[in-house]
Amino acid sequence: ETHGITFRIQISVKELLDTDVLLKLLFHLPVNYPSTLPDISVNSDQLTRAQCMDVKDKLLEQAKKHLSEPMVHDLILWIQQHLKYVIKQSATVCNEKPTLPKGTSTEDGIWMLLLHLDHMRAKAKYVKTVEKWTSDLRLTGRLMFMGRIILILLQGDRSNIKEYLILQKTSKVDVDSSGKKCKEKMISVLCETKVQSQHKRFQTFEVKEYSTLDELQKEFESAGLTTLFSEFVPPLLK
């Protein structure tokens, strides 16, 4: 009732070379849909990450034309008819797009997300999945373990941060007590904010373990995130 609903749809589309492209579409419909646009995630083994992002952007453009009316069915029909043109355009744009000057960011700027996970039963698989998602979405930051505390700190384009959150909440990333694959239900978004000038940008995504709270605090301090640490991390120890 408070988060809306999320569902996956898989469709097969004929692409440029008359090969079938399997599109995996994930729609998250907020509570006030269709007055609010859905969150959309696009994945395909036959397309590059950049092409998937272009498909997502085009779907969101179409969604804006259907605001305040049910739109998912129309969006699926639209992408079935237009995928080959989106892919063709994507290739052209990739070849022509000038590189952005250093320090230039996307329209929303660089955002930061701090997540708290309750536990990881299948730790190795879970960590590998998080590393893949951050790599695909060009996110940097840290996956941090300190005693029972598990934190994920991410920086990147706001749209990619949002897509990461959808993946984190809707994919089967862990196992339950009986060893069966399950979705992450014990996750808290501690903070989601725009990166400020005093914040240091992480250049890579790293998995790190800390033996003391002091070590963890120094990690935050070195990134100019002392306030973030003091506001959100100590309460987790209580």
Side-chain angles (χ1 to χ4, degrees):
E1 294 104 12
T2 55
H3 299 295
I5 59 168
T6 300
F7 58 90
R8 297 171 183 275
I9 296 174
Q10 291 197 146
I11 55 171
S12 186
V13 187
K14 286 280 185 195
E15 206 254 315
L16 286 171
L17 303 173
D18 289 328
T19 54
D20 285 344
V21 172
L22 185 65
L23 277 184
K24 301 169 187 174
L25 306 173
L26 189 145
F27 292 89
H28 175 252
L29 308 185
V31 182
N32 42 1
Y33 167 86
S35 300
T36 302
L37 292 177
D39 280 324
I40 303 173
S41 179
V42 179
N43 281 290
S44 174
D45 293 336
Q46 288 85 32
L47 302 180
T48 65
R49 188 71 218 160
Q51 287 171 328
C52 286
M53 293 296 285
D54 284 335
V55 171
K56 172 189 165 181
D57 290 343
K58 292 297 181 187
L59 281 171
L60 285 171
E61 277 179 29
Q62 290 301 309
K64 287 174 185 172
K65 298 176 183 177
H66 295 280
L67 201 58
S68 297
E69 60 186 61
M71 64 185 77
V72 173
H73 184 249
D74 290 320
L75 294 180
I76 291 166
L77 291 178
W78 187 88
I79 200 60
Q80 284 177 314
Q81 295 165 6
H82 295 86
L83 179 66
K84 64 175 68 178
Y85 306 111
V86 174
I87 300 306
K88 196 172 181 179
Q89 191 178 33
S90 174
T92 309
V93 170
C94 279
N95 293 332
E96 294 176 357
K97 190 185 286 181
T99 53
L100 289 170
K102 196 173 180 182
T104 304
S105 56
T106 57
E107 55 182 328
D108 278 326
I110 301 302
W111 278 66
M112 180 166 56
L113 178 71
L114 181 62
L115 301 173
H116 173 238
L117 302 183
D118 187 72
H119 61 269
M120 283 185 185
R121 284 196 175 93
K123 184 176 176 181
K125 179 182 175 296
Y126 204 133
V127 168
K128 196 173 178 182
T129 301
V130 170
E131 287 179 319
K132 183 182 186 308
W133 288 343
T134 55
S135 172
D136 287 348
L137 293 167
R138 301 185 294 280
L139 299 174
T140 60
R142 299 285 185 267
L143 170 52
M144 302 177 277
F145 296 92
M146 200 289 292
R148 291 189 175 185
I149 292 178
I150 306 169
L151 298 169
I152 300 177
L153 180 61
L154 299 174
Q155 292 178 345
D157 292 345
R158 193 177 189 188
S159 60
N160 290 2
I161 292 260
K162 283 183 175 295
E163 187 162 350
Y164 178 91
L165 258 180
I166 293 172
L167 288 169
Q168 179 77 63
K169 290 177 177 178
T170 59
S171 305
K172 291 185 177 179
V173 287
D174 207 0
V175 296
D176 60 21
S177 54
S178 62
K180 189 179 176 183
K181 288 182 180 179
C182 66
K183 294 176 185 176
E184 178 58 76
K185 294 176 182 175
M186 305 285 285
I187 185 171
S188 306
V189 178
L190 300 179
C191 180
E192 186 178 356
T193 184
K194 198 168 185 176
V195 170
Q196 304 301 318
S197 56
Q198 70 269 26
H199 300 150
K200 177 188 162 190
R201 286 291 313 280
F202 292 110
Q203 299 304 309
T204 57
F205 181 80
E206 295 177 33
V207 180
K208 301 184 80 171
E209 304 225 7
Y210 309 85
S211 51
T212 65
L213 190 63
D214 232 22
E215 286 180 16
L216 183 59
Q217 186 171 352
K218 282 174 183 167
E219 180 76 72
F220 277 81
E221 287 174 351
S222 65
L225 301 171
T226 307
T227 307
L228 190 73
F229 175 87
S230 57
E231 187 173 347
F232 295 106
V233 181
L236 298 175
L237 295 167
K238 293 174 183 176

